[in-house]
Amino acid sequence: MNEHAPPEPEAEPVTGHVTPVMEQFIEIKAANPDSLLFFRMGDFYEMFFEDAEVASRALGITLTKRGKHYGRDIPMCGVPLHTADDYLQRLIALGHRVAVCEQVEDPAEARKRGAKSVVRRDVVRLVTPGTITEDNLLDARRSNFLSALARAKGGEGGGDRFALAWIDMSTGAFRLAEFDAAALAASIARVEPRELLVPDSLLDEADFRLRFREIGAATGAAIVPVPRAFFDGATAGDRLASFFGVASLDAFGGFTRLETTAAAAVVAYVDKTQLGRRPPLDPPQREASGAAMAIDAATRANLELVRTLGGERRGSLLATIDRTVTGAGARLLAERLASPLTDPEAIRRRLDAVELFLRDSSLREEVAGRLARAPDMARALSRLALGRGGPRDLAAVGAGLAAAVGVFGRLVEVEMPGDEVAAAMAALGTAPHDLGGRLAEALADDLPLLKRDGGFVRAGFRADLDETRALRDESRQVIASLQATYAGLAEVKGLKIRHNNVLGYYVEVGPQHAPAMLSAPLNATFIHRQTMAGAVRFSTVELGALEGKIASAGERATAIELAVFDDLTAAVIAAGAGIKRAAEALAALDVASGLAALADARRWTRPKVDDSGAFRITAGRHPVVEEMLAEDGQSFVANDADLGAAPGAAAASTTGEGGRIWLVTGPNMAGKSTFLRQNALIAVLAQMGAFVPAAAAHIGVVDRLFSRVGAADDLARGRSTFMVEMIETAAILNQAGPRALVILDEIGRGTATFDGLSIAWATVEHLHAVNRSRALFATHYHELTALSERLERVVNATVKVKEWKGDVVFLHEIVPGAADRSYGIQVAKLAGLPAAVVERAKAVLTELEKSGGHAPASLIDDLPLFTAARRRAAAPAPDAPPPPVLALLDGLRPDDMSPREALEALYRLKAERARDEG
C-alpha cells in the first residue's frame, strides 16, 4: 500500500446533494481560495478536487478518489500526519501557500450531536513562504523575509516613490526603507524576500506586472497580490500602533507616511495568516537612504555574491567567506554581504572587531568554541511566542543564555575591545542569566520534540510531578507492595491483587479463606464483590482510591508538565527583549571571529575605507578563484589596480574630479573577467566590514556598484543577448555617478563589428565625461585604446601572454599598455576545434589583415564551406627545435651539484635566456 495514500473510505452515494464532509470542505476552501487546503481526516491531511491534483503533481504522491460529488469522481490525495511537515516544506519551496485545517473538537463531542454529525474543523494557520518559523521548514543559514511594497504616485514632474517593509517572523527583525523608482529592483534584490506583497492594483498595470515578474525571477520571491485595503495610508498609523500595543508610533522614530503604509500592510498580512497569533516583532527600524551600497539584481547575479549563476551556494562569494559556526551568524554575514555600508565610521567599527579576533587567536578559538554550542535563540523565541514551540525550544533558549554567560566571561578579560565588541558585551551582560539557570534546572537532558509527549521536566524539579510519575511508572511495584501488606493482614500467602475491566483492581483468595475475610475484623478492610467457583473476590477502599490515582496519573503528569511548560514559556516571552539582544550580540561576534579566521587562513589584509575618491588595490586576488586553485595546489596571480582620481586631484565627492577608467585588453581566457570581478568583490568585502584578499587596499566609499559581465538572453520576453546587454548598459549610464564603481566586459560584441565598436567607444566617452565613475572596461576592440591619448582619465592595461610554438601561454598578469592581438584562433585551438578549421581561420585572418578588414573577392570566391569537407586536415607544421636554454636545463643534475655549481648553472641559464630574447 502506498504510504502517502490515505485508507480508501467507503464510497459516498451518487446523488446530486453535497455530503456533510464535502460541504464542510467546500465551505472552508471557499474562504481560502488562494491556498492548498490541508484538511485533517484522522491521521491524514487530505486534499480534494483541484487541490489534490496540484499537490499530487508537486509532491509525487498518489492521486486517488473519494466517492462522487454531483455524479463526478472527487480527486483526492493525502499525506500522513506524522510526515506532514516534510510535505509542507516541499510545497512552500515550490511557492505554494497552504491552509492547515484541523479538527477543533473531539469526535466524541461530535457524536453527542448525533450519529451523523461532522467533527468541527477550522483553519488554524496559513503557511506561506514568508511566514514559516519551524526549524525543519527553514534554512538555518538564510533569513526568511516577508516584505510589503507601497507606492505613492508622483505628481507633475515627480516620479513614483516606493517604500519597502520587511520582517523575518522567525527572528522578529522589522525594517523599513523608502526609495525612488530607479532603486526599486536593487532595493528588493538586496533584501531578497521569500514573499513580496504588492497591491493588486499595481499588478493591474502592464509595466509593473512585467517588472515584478522579472523581480520574482531574479530574487526567487513569491509575488503576492493583496487587496488595496492592506495599504490604506489613512489608517496605517493606527493599525501599526495597535499591533505593537502603543498609543503612538513616535517612540519608534519618525517614519514617512509611505513607510508606515508598507509596515501596516505587512503586519496586517501577519495577522491574517497567523489568525491572531502575533510573533515577537521588533519595533520597525528605518534604514536611511544611501546607507548601503546599491547593487542591482543583474550585478548581484554577475558577481555571484550569494549563489552562482547556476543557482548553487558552493562557488559563491558567501560560501567562500563563511566561517561562522551558528545559524544566526551565517544569516548576519549574508545580510552584511548583501548590504555593504557607505559610512566609513561604521565600517571601521566592524573592521576593529575583526582585527581584535585576528590579533588574538586564542580569544578567537575560545569564543568560537562557545558560540558553536549556542542554539538559535531568536528562532526558538519566535516559535514559543507563536505557540508552535516545544521543549527543545526552551532548551535552546537556556543553552543560548549559558553560551552568552561563557562568551561574556571571556570577553571581559579583553582590554580595549572596540566599539562593536563592547556593544556586544553590554548586550550579553544584561541578558536574563537567571532564566537560563532556571531552564537548565527544569528541563531534562533528553527532550521530546512535542510538549504533548511529556517527559521533558527534570526529575526533582516538582515534587508533585515526581509523585505522580512514580504512581504512573511504578504501579506494579505499588500493587505488589499492597498485595504483600494484604497477604500479611489476612494471613493468606496465596492472596493476589488482579484487575479486569468490570471490577477494576480487586483482591482474590481461594474459597477456603473466604469465611475469615467475611468476618470481623477483616471484613472492615475487605469488601466482598464476587464469589466464583474457585475464588472469592474483594475490594478495599484503599485499592479503589489507588485505582483512581493510577488511572489518572498519566493524565495528571502530563497536565503538570504542560503547566511547567506554560510557566517557562511565559518567562521566556517576558524576557524576550533581552534574549533577542543577546542573540544579536552572539551573531555579531560570530561574524567577526569568522572573518578573522578567514583573514588569518588566507592572508587577507585590513582595507582603508574613507570618503576619498581612491580605489587603489595592491596585489589583489579573486577570493573564490583563489580558494578553488588552492584546493588543486595552485596559486593565484595577484594584480594591482588604481582607479582613483589622478595624483594630486581632490576627492571625487568634493570636487567632481572623476575616477580613472582602465581599458583592459587581451585574449579570451587570459583573466580579464576575473580581474574585473575581483576588484568589485574587494570593494564589497571592504564595505561590509571584512578584510580583503590583497596586500593593501585603499577604497573611497562606493555608493553604487554596477557590473555588466557575461552574456545571457531573455527569450521569454523576446530579448536577444545583445538587447539584454544594452538594457544593462543603459541602466549603468543613466544611474552611475562619481562615487560609483563600474565594471564592463565586452560591450558591443553582440552586433556587427563597427556597430559594436561605435557603441563601446561612445560608452567610454560617456563614462568619462558624464558619469565620471571609477571603471574597469574590458574589450577586444583594440581601437578603443586610442582614447587614452585624448581622454585624460582613460588608462590602458593589458593581460600579459607569451606565444610558444604557435600556441598562447596565459600569464594572467595585468600590465600597462595595450594588446595588439586577441589570440582568438589560439584559444579556439585550445578549445579543440578541428585542425582544418584552425588552419583555415589562420588563412582567412591573414587575408583580412592584408585587406584592412574587408573580405577580398578571392576569399569569397573560395567558398571553403563546400570544400572543407573534402580538404584533408593540413599536416601540422614541424616542431621548431627547442631553444638552447632548454637543452642546458635538461643537462642539469641538481642532486649531483654543489651549491656553487648550482649558482653558476643558474647564471648560465639566465645568460642563454637573454641571448634568446635578443
Side-chain angles (χ1 to χ4, degrees):
M1 178 178 174
N2 188 336
E3 176 196 7
H4 305 136
E8 188 69 31
E10 295 181 7
E12 297 188 12
V14 183
T15 62
H17 61 271
V18 181
T19 64
V21 170
M22 283 299 103
E23 182 178 17
Q24 187 182 54
F25 175 87
I26 291 169
E27 179 183 356
I28 296 173
K29 175 62 182 177
N32 300 274
D34 55 351
S35 301
L36 298 176
L37 185 61
F38 265 36
F39 193 73
R40 177 74 177 275
M41 299 279 281
D43 291 333
F44 279 79
Y45 285 115
E46 297 183 6
M47 287 153 280
F48 302 100
F49 300 106
E50 185 181 355
D51 284 3
E53 294 171 348
V54 171
S56 67
R57 286 194 301 269
L59 299 174
I61 58 178
T62 301
L63 180 67
T64 181
K65 60 185 178 181
R66 179 190 175 93
K68 293 184 180 290
H69 176 60
Y70 289 106
R72 295 183 177 180
D73 290 338
I74 300 173
M76 181 190 77
C77 69
V79 299
L81 181 66
H82 67 279
T83 58
D85 280 352
D86 295 335
Y87 294 102
L88 267 178
Q89 181 180 26
R90 289 162 62 183
L91 288 171
I92 294 303
L94 292 170
H96 295 289
R97 297 153 51 84
V98 179
V100 180
C101 180
E102 293 284 3
Q103 297 173 178
V104 294
E105 72 170 344
D106 192 287
E109 293 297 318
R111 286 193 291 270
K112 292 178 182 178
R113 300 195 303 273
K116 295 185 178 180
S117 295
V118 177
V119 176
R120 288 194 182 98
R121 294 178 176 85
D122 203 357
V123 172
V124 297
R125 180 185 173 199
L126 293 174
V127 186
T128 72
T131 60
I132 53 179
T133 57
E134 289 84 351
D135 253 352
N136 59 333
L137 301 182
L138 291 167
D139 183 344
R141 306 183 76 81
R142 179 184 176 186
S143 296
N144 197 72
F145 288 123
L146 166 70
S147 61
L149 182 74
R151 177 184 68 162
K153 289 186 177 181
E156 293 185 8
D160 291 353
R161 297 286 298 174
F162 293 89
L164 189 70
W166 65 100
I167 66 170
D168 188 337
M169 270 184 49
S170 69
T171 63
F174 193 164
R175 298 193 184 92
L176 306 169
E178 185 174 333
F179 41 83
D180 58 23
L184 174 62
S187 298
I188 296 174
R190 175 171 71 91
V191 175
E192 203 175 27
R194 289 290 307 280
E195 197 171 2
L196 175 62
L197 313 177
V198 296
D200 49 15
S201 58
L202 198 59
L203 291 180
D204 291 338
E205 301 178 28
D207 179 53
F208 278 105
R209 189 163 56 247
L210 194 59
R211 292 182 71 180
F212 284 119
R213 190 183 306 159
E214 290 179 349
I215 289 170
T219 63
I223 309 299
V224 181
V226 296
R228 295 175 63 181
F230 278 60
F231 292 90
D232 182 7
T235 62
D238 292 339
R239 287 186 288 136
L240 194 58
S242 173
F243 183 89
F244 284 100
V246 296
S248 169
L249 297 176
D250 293 343
F252 297 156
F255 306 130
T256 67
R257 177 176 176 134
L258 196 57
E259 289 170 338
T260 304
T261 300
V266 80
V267 299
Y269 188 76
V270 169
D271 265 343
K272 175 187 175 183
T273 56
Q274 305 309 301
L275 304 178
R277 289 187 176 272
R278 293 186 173 179
L281 296 182
D282 299 334
Q285 296 180 0
R286 183 175 188 271
E287 293 197 353
S289 176
M293 181 192 295
I295 312 174
D296 61 27
T299 299
R300 290 177 188 276
N302 287 336
L303 295 179
E304 300 179 307
L305 295 183
V306 297
R307 66 183 60 85
T308 65
L309 293 173
E312 297 181 359
R313 188 179 189 274
R314 186 179 186 279
S316 68
L317 178 62
L318 177 60
T320 299
I321 67 172
D322 190 355
R323 301 292 180 93
T324 58
V325 295
T326 68
R331 295 194 299 271
L332 180 60
L333 179 72
E335 185 179 323
R336 290 186 175 183
L337 178 61
S339 305
L341 300 176
T342 56
D343 178 7
E345 182 59 25
I347 296 169
R348 178 197 62 77
R349 290 193 291 269
R350 291 183 180 178
L351 292 172
D352 285 347
V354 176
E355 186 165 5
L356 171 69
F357 287 109
L358 180 61
R359 288 198 314 263
D360 193 337
S361 60
S362 63
L363 172 68
R364 181 175 74 242
E365 291 167 3
E366 289 181 43
V367 168
R370 289 183 168 93
L371 287 172
R373 296 191 292 272
D376 206 328
M377 285 195 292
R379 285 187 165 175
L381 172 63
S382 183
R383 285 189 291 272
L384 290 167
L386 285 167
R388 298 175 197 152
R392 295 178 187 176
D393 291 308
L394 288 174
V397 173
L401 291 173
V405 172
V407 172
F408 177 76
R410 181 62 179 87
L411 290 176
V412 293
E413 303 172 9
V414 177
E415 296 182 6
M416 301 180 65
D419 295 341
E420 180 164 285
V421 175
M425 290 172 61
L428 296 178
T430 56
H433 302 305
D434 292 344
L435 176 60
R438 182 182 171 193
L439 290 169
E441 180 185 350
L443 297 172
D445 295 329
D446 189 14
L447 297 172
L449 177 64
L450 303 173
K451 62 182 179 181
R452 70 183 181 216
D453 294 335
F456 56 84
V457 176
R458 188 182 296 277
F461 183 72
R462 284 274 296 261
D464 55 344
L465 177 61
D466 292 342
E467 180 182 344
T468 305
R469 281 175 171 170
L471 190 60
R472 180 196 66 193
D473 300 336
E474 301 169 11
S475 58
R476 289 184 178 180
Q477 292 90 330
V478 173
I479 293 296
S481 174
L482 194 58
Q483 177 177 293
T485 300
Y486 287 158
L489 178 65
E491 297 182 346
V492 178
K493 291 183 178 180
L495 181 149
K496 301 292 182 183
I497 295 179
R498 304 186 188 279
H499 181 273
N500 66 31
N501 291 331
V502 177
L503 299 179
Y505 285 100
Y506 56 87
V507 173
E508 184 177 276
V509 296
Q512 69 273 25
H513 300 297
M517 297 185 67
L518 291 170
S519 304
L522 293 181
N523 62 355
T525 300
F526 298 102
I527 304 166
H528 179 259
R529 295 295 304 275
Q530 193 176 36
T531 299
M532 311 286 290
V536 181
R537 294 171 175 170
F538 298 85
S539 66
T540 69
V541 173
E542 186 178 13
L543 199 57
L546 182 61
E547 179 179 3
K549 288 182 179 180
I550 291 173
S552 62
E555 295 178 3
R556 287 189 292 112
T558 300
I560 293 171
E561 288 205 73
L562 292 178
V564 171
F565 181 88
D566 290 343
D567 289 344
L568 294 175
T569 298
V572 167
I573 293 172
I579 293 171
K580 277 189 182 182
R581 286 193 298 270
E584 291 167 358
L586 292 177
L589 293 170
D590 190 15
V591 170
S593 64
L595 290 175
L598 175 70
D600 188 31
R602 294 293 181 194
R603 297 175 292 106
W604 289 14
T605 57
R606 176 170 180 156
K608 177 182 178 182
V609 183
D610 55 27
D611 282 321
S612 72
F615 194 95
R616 186 178 305 109
I617 309 298
T618 303
R621 311 184 302 276
H622 192 296
V624 181
V625 177
E626 182 182 34
E627 182 175 82
M628 291 183 173
L629 288 174
E631 291 175 358
D632 295 333
Q634 303 178 53
S635 59
F636 186 91
V637 178
N639 282 295
D640 300 344
D642 189 354
L643 307 179
S653 58
T654 58
T655 69
E657 176 69 24
R660 289 189 177 98
I661 301 172
W662 273 28
L663 287 178
V664 184
T665 53
N668 286 312
M669 298 293 295
K672 299 193 305 298
S673 294
T674 299
F675 176 67
L676 267 59
R677 285 186 172 98
Q678 79 186 35
N679 285 286
L681 295 181
I682 287 172
V684 170
L685 288 168
Q687 290 185 215
M688 71 171 280
F691 282 33
V692 298
H698 179 194
I699 298 173
V701 165
V702 174
D703 65 351
R704 300 180 73 100
L705 177 60
F706 296 97
S707 168
R708 175 37 253 167
V709 178
D713 55 31
D714 188 356
L715 297 180
R717 299 184 56 193
R719 293 177 174 177
S720 66
T721 301
F722 181 64
M723 175 58 79
V724 172
E725 176 186 320
M726 289 298 98
I727 289 173
E728 293 180 2
T729 304
I732 294 171
L733 297 181
N734 288 324
Q735 298 178 49
R739 278 206 171 278
L741 175 63
V742 176
I743 62 172
L744 293 165
D745 192 11
E746 310 297 356
I747 294 299
R749 63 181 168 182
T751 186
T753 303
F754 289 140
D755 284 358
L757 173 59
S758 301
I759 292 170
W761 190 292
T763 297
V764 174
E765 290 182 334
H766 194 279
L767 282 170
H768 185 273
V770 179
N771 303 106
R772 309 180 74 78
S773 308
R774 294 162 286 186
L776 289 164
F777 193 111
T779 184
H780 283 292
Y781 294 130
H782 301 141
E783 296 85 348
L784 293 179
T785 59
L787 286 169
S788 65
E789 299 176 4
R790 66 181 189 86
L791 300 179
E792 60 181 353
R793 296 192 312 282
V794 172
V795 177
N796 290 330
T798 187
V799 187
K800 197 172 180 182
V801 297
K802 290 287 281 186
E803 284 191 83
W804 176 254
K805 297 182 182 180
D807 292 332
V808 60
V809 178
F810 303 120
L811 303 180
H812 305 297
E813 183 180 348
I814 307 296
V815 296
D820 58 354
R821 300 176 59 189
S822 287
Y823 298 95
I825 294 176
Q826 286 86 342
V827 174
K829 181 180 178 182
L830 289 175
L833 262 67
V837 175
V838 172
E839 292 304 315
R840 177 59 181 167
K842 289 179 180 179
V844 172
L845 177 62
T846 301
E847 292 296 325
L848 289 172
E849 288 176 341
K850 288 179 181 178
S851 62
H854 300 286
S858 61
L859 188 61
I860 298 173
D861 292 340
D862 190 17
L863 293 177
L865 178 64
F866 300 102
T867 60
R870 297 190 301 268
R871 184 187 303 120
R872 296 182 60 186
D879 290 344
V885 69
L886 291 183
L888 282 173
L889 188 61
D890 290 340
L892 296 179
R893 299 289 182 267
D895 293 337
D896 300 332
M897 300 171 70
S898 67
R900 182 178 182 83
E901 290 171 336
L903 184 60
E904 290 174 349
L906 181 60
Y907 280 120
R908 285 199 303 273
L909 288 169
K910 288 189 66 66
E912 191 61 45
R913 171 69 170 168
R915 279 195 294 272
D916 285 349
E917 291 188 342

